[in-house]
Amino acid sequence: MTLPELKSPAAYSPMMQHYLEVKKLHPDCLLMYRMGDFYELFFADATVAAKELEITLTARESAGERVPMAGVPHHAVEGYLGRLIEKGYRIAICEQVEDPRQAKGLVKREITRLVTPGTLLEAHYLSEKQNNFLAALYRGAKGFGLAYCDISTGEFMATEIGNPALVASELQRLAASEILVPVPPALWQEVAWGRGQICLTPERLDPAWAEAMVGCHALTPRPEQLFKAEQAKRAILEHFKILTLEPFGLAEKPMATAACGALLAYIAETQCQRLPPFQAIVTYQLADFMWLDADTRRNLELLQTARAAQTSGSLLAVLDITLTPMGGRRLRSWLLHPLLNTAAIQARQAAVTELLAATSQRQRIVRALSQVRDLERIATRITTGTVYPRELIALRDSLEALPELSAALARFTSTLLAPLQSLPEQSGELATLIRRTLVDNPPATITEGGLIRPGITTEIDRL
C-alpha cells in the first residue's frame, strides 16, 4: 500500500496533510480515516478498497489533482472490515477523538486500533467454539520459542521446542490466524510490501525456518529487537506487575520469553495500549500431550471428515454437546491435545464418574449452563472498550445463573469440580448493578441512546 509520487505535503489541505502523516506511520495497512459519517480511504488505498469491497471509487480535488477516494458508512464499517480481513489485509482505524462541533480548525483524529487477522475482537468475525490464535515464533541457539494467545478470550500459552518438525506440527494444530516472526534490520527495510502486509516466506528469513513453518502462510514480520530476551522480559514483568518470571515458568526459558514479549508488544501496538485481560502466561511441554501430526489428525477425522473436510461427521461433531462457547473451545483443545499424564487423565475420569452418578444435579448444571453466554469474550470487550449494550445484558444473565450452578456442584469432591463451588462475591453485585442500571432491551450500539434506565441520576436524565 505504498503511496504514489506525491507533491510537497504543504501543497495539500491540512486534513490531507494529516492523512499522509498517519499513512506514513502505517504503510502496511489500509487506512480508514473518519470524516463525519464515513470512513474514507485515499490514493492507492481507495483503489484497492473500491475493488475488494465493490464500492464506488470517486475522487477529491486536492493540490490541483484528483485524488482517488472511496468510503464506507461508519455504522456499517464492521461488515467491510470483516471482508478485508478475509482477503488478507490489515486496517488502521483513524477515529475522530473530539466533537466536530467543538473543534477549532481541524478535528483531532488518532489511530484507535489496528485490525489484523490475529487481533479480532468482534463476535461476528469469530467462530463461537473455536479460538482465534495470534502466535509468535523465535529461533534461538537450542531451538524455538513459541508463544500464542487468543486476545478475545485472554488465553496466553508458551513453550520451547527443539525439533523443527514438532514446531510445524504445533503451529498446524493451533491454526493461528497470524504468526509474528523476527526479521533483521536489513530485511525489514527492503522486504516488499503488498496486499496490506509484508510479502514474506520462511526461506527469506533463513532456510532453517522452512522446516518449522511448513504450511504456514500468515506470517507477520516484526523488528528483530522486539524479540530480544531482556526487552521481552521487561515487557512481561511490567504488564503482569510481577518481580520475576518464575510464577509463569519462564525463568529458564529465554526463547519462550522472547516470543511472549514480542506478542505483548504487538498487541499493545494494535490495540493502542488497551490490552485484553490476560491473567497469566501458562507454560507447557509437548511431552505432556500425545503428538499427532497433520496426517494423523486428518485420518482420525478429529475436527473434519477426511474426504469432504466437513465438521459434520467428525469426532468433534459427535462429542460436542457443550452448552457454552467456552466449553466448545475447551473440548476442541482437549481433542487436539490428548493427555499423556496419568494423574491428569484420572482427574478427568473422576469428574466424569461423579457427574454420571448424580443425575438430578447434572440436570441442574445443564439448566444453569444453558443461561451462560461467552463470558471470556464479553470480559475482553469490556476491557478494550468495544463491548455492545446487549452483551452487558448477556453478562447479567450469565452472572445470575452462577449461584444455581455453584449450588448444583456443592456435593462434588473431585479435584476438577470442587473448585467451581465457590464464586467471587462481586458477581452477584455486578449482576444487580447491571439489572438496576440498564434497560432490559437495549439498543444495538451505545450511540443510539436509550441504554440507561430513567431515574438512575438526574444528570443522565437531563442529558
Side-chain angles (χ1 to χ4, degrees), residues 136-188:
L137 187 66
Y138 173 76
R139 180 168 174 253
K142 297 182 179 181
F144 293 84
L146 171 64
Y148 61 91
C149 68
D150 182 340
I151 74 169
S152 72
T153 66
E155 297 170 64
F156 201 137
M157 309 286 288
T159 189
E160 291 189 344
I161 307 172
N163 187 330
L166 292 179
V167 175
S169 178
E170 187 67 356
L171 287 173
Q172 292 167 18
R173 177 159 53 178
L174 295 173
S177 298
E178 200 172 353
I179 305 171
L180 312 181
V181 292
V183 296
L187 182 56
W188 179 257

Side-chain angles (χ1 to χ4, degrees), residues 133 147-151 153-159 235-237 239-242 244-250 260 263-264 267 275-284 376:
F133 286 124
Y148 61 91
C149 68
D150 182 340
I151 74 169
T153 66
E155 297 170 64
F156 201 137
M157 309 286 288
T159 189
I236 297 168
L237 297 179
H239 175 73
F240 290 100
K241 296 179 173 56
I242 54 178
T244 172
L245 296 178
E246 290 183 3
F248 297 159
L250 289 170
C260 289
L263 209 57
L264 283 174
I267 295 168
L275 295 177
F278 296 124
Q279 299 299 312
I281 298 173
V282 178
T283 54
Y284 69 101
E376 289 179 332

Side-chain angles (χ1 to χ4, degrees), residues 387-394 434 438-439 442-447 451:
V387 72
Y388 290 102
R390 291 170 187 172
E391 290 178 318
L392 295 175
I393 301 303
I434 295 174
L438 304 185
V439 298
T445 63
I446 292 175
T447 55
L451 172 61

Side-chain angles (χ1 to χ4, degrees), residues 71-350:
V72 298
H74 77 95
H75 60 81
V77 68
E78 290 185 355
Y80 292 106
L81 288 176
R83 291 165 63 183
L84 290 172
I85 287 292
E86 287 177 359
K87 293 175 180 289
Y89 293 95
R90 296 155 52 87
I91 304 99
I93 305 295
C94 190
E95 189 61 79
Q96 294 176 175
V97 293
E98 70 173 336
D99 190 334
R101 294 169 296 183
Q102 299 178 357
K104 295 181 180 179
L106 187 66
V107 177
K108 186 177 180 181
R109 296 177 176 87
E110 295 177 356
I111 292 292
T112 57
R113 186 180 168 200
L114 303 181
V115 185
T116 74
T119 61
L120 292 172
L121 291 171
E122 292 77 8
H124 46 276
Y125 298 155
L126 302 172
S127 174
E128 189 177 65
K129 291 188 175 183
Q130 183 174 348
N131 286 102
N132 183 49
F133 286 124
L134 168 69
L137 187 66
Y138 173 76
R139 180 168 174 253
K142 297 182 179 181
F144 293 84
L146 171 64
Y148 61 91
C149 68
D150 182 340
I151 74 169
S152 72
T153 66
E155 297 170 64
F156 201 137
M157 309 286 288
T159 189
E160 291 189 344
I161 307 172
N163 187 330
L166 292 179
V167 175
S169 178
E170 187 67 356
L171 287 173
Q172 292 167 18
R173 177 159 53 178
L174 295 173
S177 298
E178 200 172 353
I179 305 171
L180 312 181
V181 292
V183 296
L187 182 56
W188 179 257
Q189 291 297 323
E190 66 87 17
V191 74
W193 298 84
R195 292 201 63 198
Q197 59 187 5
I198 289 181
C199 296
L200 189 67
T201 63
E203 292 79 8
R204 292 210 69 190
L205 291 170
D206 184 325
W209 286 77
E211 186 180 358
M213 306 194 76
V214 172
C216 296
H217 306 289
L219 306 186
T220 297
R222 305 299 297 149
E224 193 175 50
Q225 65 266 23
L226 295 181
F227 290 79
K228 298 297 183 183
E230 281 304 311
Q231 182 172 332
K233 178 180 177 180
R234 285 196 301 272
I236 297 168
L237 297 179
E238 290 174 6
H239 175 73
F240 290 100
K241 296 179 173 56
I242 54 178
L243 300 177
T244 172
L245 296 178
E246 290 183 3
F248 297 159
L250 289 170
E252 304 299 327
K253 292 182 171 60
M255 295 184 296
T257 298
C260 289
L263 209 57
L264 283 174
Y266 185 70
I267 295 168
E269 177 187 342
T270 57
Q271 304 306 304
C272 299
Q273 302 301 324
R274 294 182 299 182
L275 295 177
F278 296 124
Q279 299 299 312
I281 298 173
V282 178
T283 54
Y284 69 101
Q285 300 179 36
L286 292 190
D288 295 335
F289 309 105
M290 184 181 297
W291 182 52
L292 302 174
D293 61 24
D295 289 337
T296 301
R297 293 194 299 273
R298 182 172 55 254
N299 292 333
L300 291 176
E301 298 188 315
L302 297 183
L303 305 181
Q304 294 180 326
T305 56
R307 181 168 297 180
Q310 295 179 341
T311 301
S312 178
S314 68
L315 179 61
L316 176 63
V318 172
L319 295 179
D320 190 2
I321 54 172
T322 56
L323 295 171
T324 69
M326 294 87 74
R329 293 192 291 267
R330 178 61 59 88
L331 177 61
R332 183 186 182 93
S333 176
W334 282 5
L335 284 179
L336 290 174
H337 296 81
L339 291 174
L340 293 177
N341 182 283
T342 303
I345 294 172
Q346 291 175 339
R348 287 186 189 173
Q349 290 175 337

